[in-house]
Structure formats: structure tokens, C-alpha cells
Amino acid sequence: MTSSEIDNLLWQPSPEAREATAIYRFARQVGHESDLYDWSVQQPDAFWKSVWNECGVVGDMGGTAFVPAATGAGMSTARFFPDASLSIVENFLQQSGSGEALVAMNEAGNRHSRTWDDLRRRVAAIASALEQYGVVAGDRVVAWLPNAIEVVEVMLGAASLGAVFSSASPDFGVNGVLDRFGQIEPKVLVAVDGYRYNGKDFDCLQRLSEIRAGLPTVVATILVNNVSIGEHDRAGYIEYETFVESGAATPVAPKRFAFDHPWYILYSSGTTGVPKCIVHRTGGVLIQHLKEHQLQCNIQVNDRVMYFTTTGWMMWNWLVSVLASGATAILFDGAPTSP
């Protein structure tokens, strides 16, 4: 079969549809309609400066977008935006008003939402509450939570201070959580009392007591009330809303950090031993997500975006980054086919 015959079998967008895409408009704007990929590889400084401006990154870009690796050095020594400074929170919360920033639904049909203004206030309060427990830039804040509003709030509250965030899904067992969080010595743990999946409620408090015992660096454990099963001793836990309210009187504004400042830690699958920690940097992840969302997925202000994921998968991090494009993140928790 010839290449032209293959082309005839493949769907092709109409010229009108192609020219209506954000990536086509961007390519035309930068003068590379026919060679955008080649230009991005051959001229990374010009390309990434254009992406920064096109996608509306909030922050100080500095004068240089790309510094190549020195001759003979590994490619990992190359630097992007070495003089830039930015805040994840400033980029995520550019929108204001009573529109919905987050919508959380579960398989039981319960729906909760958070407006842009409410989310901004609560993130500032959480940052203040974390500061009261001694959290500073570089400390680790971890969440053992379902895909719901609280986990986004905690991630942004930590990022306000430059603390490094990491999350795991409540369906992870004790060893699965400790194999991950135990390596990074967290200062604050935010956890859930239980969750529902496929019509069944699962208790987390027994496992939580073991997890907390295995994380000796944790100075505070915050508990989100979600699905309460049976009677458990909750002594030593701080109720989530009480935690948020404790910081409301002295909210903390987000701070800007270097482009390479760590944002969150993800993990390898653990199929060949203990999961390996993978540190993701503030600016690199943000600008990559903005490029994917706006230029490659056509996500725009006030769009609504859902991706079925748990907090233990990197697609959760990808999903919540739509806030930086002014879109609403739709969070779903539970089994997608239940009932």
C-alpha cells in the first residue's frame, strides 16, 4: 500500500477545522506553520519564550529560556529559564469570581464545588495553617486522599509556601503508602477516614494508624471526614475544616520560587522494587502542561475538563493543572461504571 493510499484511509481534518485550532494559530503567529516541531527542537530558546507568552505564564521570565549543556556534559545539565521566578498558585488562581473552579462528584451522585474566590481564600488559609506547624519551603506535605476538592486545596496551600507535595490514593495499602511517603520524610500528612468504590465503603482509619506510626517525621495529621465506618479513636487527628479555619485569620499570600524549585514528587510503578521518587520542578511541569492543554488540547477559559484518575496517578497532576488555563477541573471519585 502506498503512502497516498494510507493517507486516503486516515481521517483528515478540514482546512477550516485545522486552522481553527490553537496550535495552528500559534504556528502561524510565530511564522512556523510548516515546521513548528523542527523549530521547537532547533531553536528552543525562541520556542519556549513564545510558549511562555502565548500561554500567559504569570511570573518573571528572565532574559534566557534555554542554556544548552556544556560540551561533554550530559544533557541533564541543560537549563531552562535559569533566571525565572514564578508561583504555581498565582498561575492556577488567575480567575476570580463566583464561577466554579472545581467540581467534585462521586459514584453516589454527591456533588460539591468550589468557586474561584472560595478556592483562593481557602488556599491562603491552608498555607497559613501549614506555617503554624513549621512548614517552610522544601518541606514535604503529603496527602492520602481521594480525588476530591481537599487534595487540590492542600497541594496549592503547600505550593504557596514552596513546600513539596506528594499524593497517594486511599486504596493503597499500608506498605504501598509507606514505600512512597517513607522515603521523603513528610512534615504534614492529610488523610481521609474512608472512601467508597463500586458501591462498597472502605475504612481507612485502621490503616492510617499504621501509616502514621511509620512516618516519624510527621508533626500533624489532618483528617478529612468522607465515609465514616464503625467506631475508631480519632485522638491525635486534626479535623480538616478546623485546620483550614485555624489559618483563615492570617492568610498567607503565595511566594514565587525559581523555575527549578521542586513542586511535587511522583513515583515509579514499583514493579522492580520500592517505587523510585521522581521530583517534578515548578516551572518545567507548569509550562509543559500549559502547552499541552492550550495548544494541543484546545482547552480555553471556562472550559470543563475531566480525566478519570486517582490521586496516585500522574494524570491527576495533569488534570488539576487545567486551572492554570482558567478551566474548571471536574474531579470524580469512585468506580466509573457503578451502578
Side-chain angles (χ1 to χ4, degrees), residues 10-236:
L10 297 175
W11 176 83
Q12 300 282 345
S14 68
E16 295 78 15
R18 184 177 69 251
E19 293 173 13
T21 63
I23 199 164
Y24 182 88
R25 292 195 301 270
F26 173 70
R28 184 172 54 193
Q29 178 179 307
V30 297
H32 291 277
E33 296 171 51
S34 61
D35 65 339
L36 182 61
Y37 173 75
D38 289 341
W39 176 63
S40 73
V41 174
Q42 295 164 7
Q43 300 292 330
D45 188 83
F47 172 76
W48 286 107
K49 283 179 180 176
S50 297
V51 171
W52 178 296
N53 292 322
E54 175 68 18
C55 294
V57 177
V58 176
D60 180 6
M61 180 169 65
T64 303
F66 178 70
V67 179
T71 302
M75 69 176 184
S76 63
T77 62
R79 297 285 305 282
F80 289 87
F81 297 100
D83 303 316
S85 63
L86 69 160
S87 162
I88 287 299
V89 179
E90 285 184 330
N91 280 275
F92 271 46
L93 301 182
Q94 296 179 62
Q95 293 283 84
S96 60
S98 59
E100 292 177 323
L102 299 170
V103 174
M105 301 186 72
N106 62 23
E107 68 176 53
N110 299 318
R111 183 189 194 278
H112 303 281
S113 66
R114 197 75 81 221
T115 70
W116 292 102
D117 285 350
D118 285 343
L119 182 58
R120 180 176 292 102
R121 283 192 293 268
R122 289 174 65 87
V123 166
I126 289 169
S128 175
L130 289 171
E131 268 197 339
Q132 294 171 29
Y133 285 99
V135 174
V136 298
D139 283 341
R140 276 73 62 203
V141 174
V142 295
W144 188 46
L145 292 174
N147 187 19
I149 288 173
E150 292 84 0
V151 67
V152 183
E153 293 179 330
V154 171
M155 183 270 285
L156 290 175
S160 294
L161 304 174
V164 185
F165 176 79
S166 193
S167 60
S169 174
D171 61 339
F172 283 19
V174 173
N175 290 339
V177 175
L178 293 180
D179 282 349
R180 291 163 173 80
F181 293 168
Q183 298 184 66
I184 64 175
E185 300 181 334
K187 182 171 280 187
V188 172
L189 166 66
V190 185
V192 72
D193 62 356
Y195 68 96
R196 169 170 290 192
Y197 190 84
N198 202 27
K200 182 179 180 181
D201 291 337
F202 294 87
D203 176 36
C204 288
L205 287 174
Q206 179 59 46
R207 282 178 290 153
L208 179 57
S209 65
E210 298 178 56
I211 290 168
R212 188 168 65 163
L215 297 174
T217 58
V218 168
V219 300
T221 303
I222 319 303
L223 188 64
V224 174
N225 297 316
N226 184 42
V227 177
S228 183
I229 305 171
E231 295 296 326
H232 291 279
D233 181 8
R234 298 190 177 216

Side-chain angles (χ1 to χ4, degrees), residues 102-106 144-152 168-170 195 226 306-312 315-317 319-320 329-334:
L102 299 170
V103 174
M105 301 186 72
N106 62 23
W144 188 46
L145 292 174
N147 187 19
I149 288 173
E150 292 84 0
V151 67
V152 183
S169 174
Y195 68 96
N226 184 42
M306 176 184 170
Y307 198 102
F308 178 69
T309 179
T310 72
T311 58
M315 288 309 298
W316 177 85
N317 306 77
L319 169 62
V320 298
I330 309 297
L331 314 172
F332 180 81
D333 180 54

